[in-house]
Amino acid sequence: TTDDAAAVREALPDALAISLQSGWPTPQSDVIWRDRTLGSALMFGVTPDFQIVQDYRFTRGRPLQELDVRERRHVVVIGPDIAEKLFEGVDPIGQEVRIKGRPFEVVGVTGRKGRVLGQSFDGFVLMPITSFEAIWGRRNTTTISVKLASADEVAPAMDRAEEAMRLSRQLRPWEANNFSLDTADALVSFWKQLTKVLFAVIPAVVGIGIVVGGIVIMNIMLMSVSERTHEIGIRKALGATSGDVRKQFLAESVMLAITGGLLGVLGGWSLAWLIATLSPLPARVSTWSVALALALGAGVGVLFGVYPAARAARLDPIAAMKPD
């Protein structure tokens, strides 16, 4: 795998970073500091460029270096979850932790990546790949990661990388690859398919919600008209016109729908805040979406409030004032 990485590096001299990571299965281990133990931390053996490929930012200390790999140094970079849980109130830089009974010096702490669906991306330990393999041996797979300057370079670069890998492994032209190539295109394609499905389903769900909500509003207003016949009769007896009664009930229907829209906006804002807080995914409620929700609510109130309002306006004041 080192030869593979060297071949890819030679084929892609313009790449921003090319890293080597010990692959599956990824081991987990206890990390011990003094009398504190943190269990099931993910262990990764990497070359320094891995930190560039993964866009790690360092809040303390330094990243792993080539010298650490060459000299098999017992040094580690830890994620923020490890730093907070194991070194609460203590600067972790320079502290010695024990992993698999061996001492390692903490030289760096990365910035926070966040969570996706409750899964944290910050509970890991990075160590030089040479030190990693001295403990766990070589993994069943090894990952070579490449970071390029622009997306336009990905396709031709992957073609050159594939050719370099085949030459490194001395594969015949008719022989299939004994390695796999994955690019961000697969993730982008998946995301496009997902959004396509969402954009097809969500309007239907919204439409059903509008119809159901409108029917509920109409039923509420019809019940209100039935229960307030005496009020309507008294108003008409005192000079209120059918138009006045119609406007009153139509306004109540609109206010009921707008109140529902405001509650929906509050729920959407709360959900967006939770997603932005608990995961690295960007989520926010835009101004236009709030305006659209309120306008839609007002429209539903008008549309489904017309019939109850018209029914209230048609009530005969004498009949409405008769005792039940």
Side-chain angles (χ1 to χ4, degrees), residues 120-289:
S120 175
F121 285 82
D122 300 317
F124 59 83
V125 175
L126 304 180
M127 64 177 64
I129 191 169
T130 48
S131 302
F132 178 94
E133 291 178 345
I135 299 175
W136 284 281
R138 297 213 171 183
R139 302 284 88 187
N140 293 343
T141 60
T142 302
T143 303
I144 300 173
S145 302
V146 180
K147 184 174 184 178
L148 299 166
S150 67
D152 296 336
E153 301 178 25
V154 172
M158 290 300 98
D159 290 339
R160 296 199 304 272
E162 182 179 10
E163 182 181 356
M165 289 282 290
R166 290 184 62 86
L167 290 173
S168 173
R169 299 189 173 202
Q170 300 180 352
L171 295 175
R172 303 289 184 178
W174 58 85
E175 292 179 325
N177 292 340
N178 54 7
F179 57 89
S180 62
L181 289 171
D182 295 317
T183 69
D185 290 342
L187 180 61
V188 172
S189 177
F190 170 76
W191 179 252
K192 287 181 178 178
Q193 292 295 329
L194 179 61
T195 53
K196 186 183 295 184
V197 172
L198 289 177
F199 283 125
V201 172
I202 288 178
V205 173
V206 171
I208 293 172
I210 288 174
V211 172
V212 172
I215 292 173
V216 170
I217 290 175
M218 186 169 63
N219 286 335
I220 291 174
M221 295 308 300
L222 287 173
M223 289 179 60
S224 179
V225 171
S226 299
E227 293 174 355
R228 295 162 64 186
T229 53
H230 290 287
E231 175 191 330
I232 296 169
I234 292 172
R235 287 199 64 200
K236 283 194 168 186
L238 294 175
T241 64
S242 296
D244 294 332
V245 175
R246 185 183 301 109
K247 290 177 184 178
Q248 174 190 349
F249 280 88
L250 197 59
E252 291 180 9
S253 175
V254 171
M255 288 303 299
L256 186 61
I258 290 179
T259 302
L262 287 173
L263 292 175
V265 168
L266 181 61
W269 180 86
S270 301
L271 180 61
W273 179 81
L274 283 174
I275 293 174
T277 303
L278 301 178
S279 78
L281 298 176
R284 65 186 180 88
V285 176
S286 55
T287 304
W288 69 266
S289 63

Side-chain angles (χ1 to χ4, degrees), residues 27-38:
Q28 297 183 5
S29 178
D30 293 345
V31 183
I32 302 172
W33 177 69
R34 296 181 181 174
D35 59 343
R36 301 180 187 178
T37 301
L38 185 63

Side-chain angles (χ1 to χ4, degrees), residues 4-34:
D4 293 337
V8 172
R9 190 173 288 107
E10 184 176 350
L12 303 175
D14 296 331
L16 297 179
I18 298 176
S19 70
L20 194 62
Q21 173 195 350
S22 187
W24 186 89
T26 302
Q28 297 183 5
S29 178
D30 293 345
V31 183
I32 302 172
W33 177 69
R34 296 181 181 174

